[in-house]
Amino acid sequence: MFTENARKILSIDIGGSHIKAAVLDNSGNFLGDYERLSTPSPATPDSVLKVIKELAKKFPEYDAVAGGFPGFIKDGIVKTAPNLGTEHWADFNLNKALEEALGKPSLVVNDADLQGLAVVSGNGLELMITIGTGFGTALLNNGILLPHLEISHHPITKNKDYDQYIGEAEFKRIGKKKWNNRMQRVFGILKTVFNYDRLYISGGGAKELDFKLDDNMIIVNNRDGIKGGAHLWEQHYKLNAMKNEVSNTSEKI
């Protein structure tokens, strides 16, 4: 095991086209070069884990693992993986599989959640969205990650969810002008539903936005998302400390 104040974290971002990795210090600073390999096709658990093990060989020293996965993760277990194949991943314990494959304690969350932890200010209610192959979201309150919601699969029209309405395939089909009109509608909905203090925008689609954003809407670098691995472990320690404090207080009453 390792202590909170002395660790190196292998942070892994599993994407639809690439799997990326880097070793971070406690603050999320890169301790070496950023590496990536292509996501296998089909992207089954076995094939993805094989690529992750190849990537991990490039980083000989780390104490813990943090992962971001493009789907719904609950307690380290994959529930849906629309861009990799839910039929392959449903109910797969990715957290346990990473620990067994890499021999280190691991934490896994949705990839947008991982990015949100990396970029938010930690003040107020903050929404992170990723616009790429699909539409990802993360919601944080004062820097604490809230339970993940698959907003991407909520219907926005009679026959389309957010992934289908503004994802990469639809951008290519309808063109930039119509896509931007749709994005303005989406931002209006998000503003009304969440009443966020700040909205962060990442992913390949962010650079295609051609209209003026509100002052509290911020485009962030997609590459920074992997830094969330350090903050995921930091949050894990903080929440455990809070649970222990509550437990100790209850025992004294």
Side-chain angles (χ1 to χ4, degrees):
M1 290 299 289
F2 54 93
T3 65
E4 180 179 358
N5 295 319
R7 69 182 189 271
K8 297 178 181 178
I9 301 153
L10 177 63
S11 189
I12 302 166
D13 182 6
I14 302 169
S17 57
H18 292 93
I19 300 174
K20 310 161 207 171
V23 172
L24 311 169
D25 66 13
N26 287 345
S27 300
N29 298 310
F30 290 104
L31 295 179
D33 292 334
Y34 181 102
E35 301 281 354
R36 73 177 190 175
L37 292 173
S38 295
T39 302
S41 180
T44 63
D46 284 345
S47 63
V48 167
L49 285 167
K50 183 177 179 180
V51 172
I52 288 173
K53 285 191 279 188
E54 284 300 310
L55 268 177
K57 290 177 183 177
K58 302 175 183 288
F59 306 100
E61 293 185 8
Y62 54 90
D63 307 302
V65 178
F69 181 83
F72 190 90
I73 297 277
K74 187 174 183 179
D75 299 325
I77 298 172
V78 178
K79 295 300 179 182
T80 63
N83 295 319
L84 297 185
T86 297
E87 67 275 15
H88 302 307
W89 288 91
D91 296 320
F92 181 75
N93 193 328
L94 181 56
N95 200 82
K96 181 180 178 183
L98 283 176
E99 290 187 342
E100 291 176 349
L102 302 179
K104 303 292 182 181
S106 301
L107 295 173
V108 185
V109 293
N110 172 268
D111 55 350
D113 288 344
L114 193 73
Q115 181 147 23
L117 285 166
V119 304
V120 299
S121 72
N123 297 309
L125 185 65
E126 300 181 285
L127 179 63
M128 170 82 221
I129 69 169
T130 60
I131 314 168
T133 305
F135 179 68
T137 61
L139 190 63
L140 300 94
N141 189 41
N142 293 324
I144 299 296
L145 191 62
L146 299 180
H148 184 71
L149 300 174
E150 282 287 77
I151 297 168
S152 59
H153 300 299
H154 189 281
I156 187 169
T157 70
K158 288 183 178 180
N159 57 4
K160 290 183 185 294
D161 61 20
Y162 281 81
D163 267 4
Q164 297 162 334
Y165 189 66
I166 56 170
E168 182 180 13
E170 193 70 349
F171 176 89
K172 292 177 179 178
R173 189 184 76 84
I174 65 176
K176 184 172 180 176
K177 182 178 180 180
K178 287 184 178 180
W179 181 84
N180 269 279
N181 289 337
R182 289 187 179 185
M183 285 306 308
Q184 291 186 65
R185 180 182 178 221
V186 167
F187 285 142
I189 293 170
L190 295 177
K191 183 176 181 179
T192 300
V193 170
F194 291 99
N195 195 26
Y196 51 75
D197 293 299
R198 278 165 295 282
L199 171 67
Y200 299 87
I201 308 162
S202 181
K207 68 179 181 295
E208 304 294 347
L209 298 170
D210 64 4
F211 52 91
K212 188 178 186 307
L213 302 177
D214 294 342
D215 290 341
N216 64 343
M217 298 168 67
I218 305 154
I219 293 178
V220 295
N221 190 332
N222 194 45
R223 190 174 184 270
D224 288 339
I226 205 165
K227 296 179 180 179
H231 302 289
L232 181 60
W233 274 102
E234 179 185 19
Q235 177 172 289
H236 173 75
Y237 278 114
K238 286 181 178 179
L239 293 178
N240 276 349
M242 289 170 62
K243 289 178 183 178
N244 290 335
E245 185 176 346
V246 170
S247 177
N248 292 336
T249 301
S250 298
E251 290 176 1
K252 293 176 182 178
I253 295 175

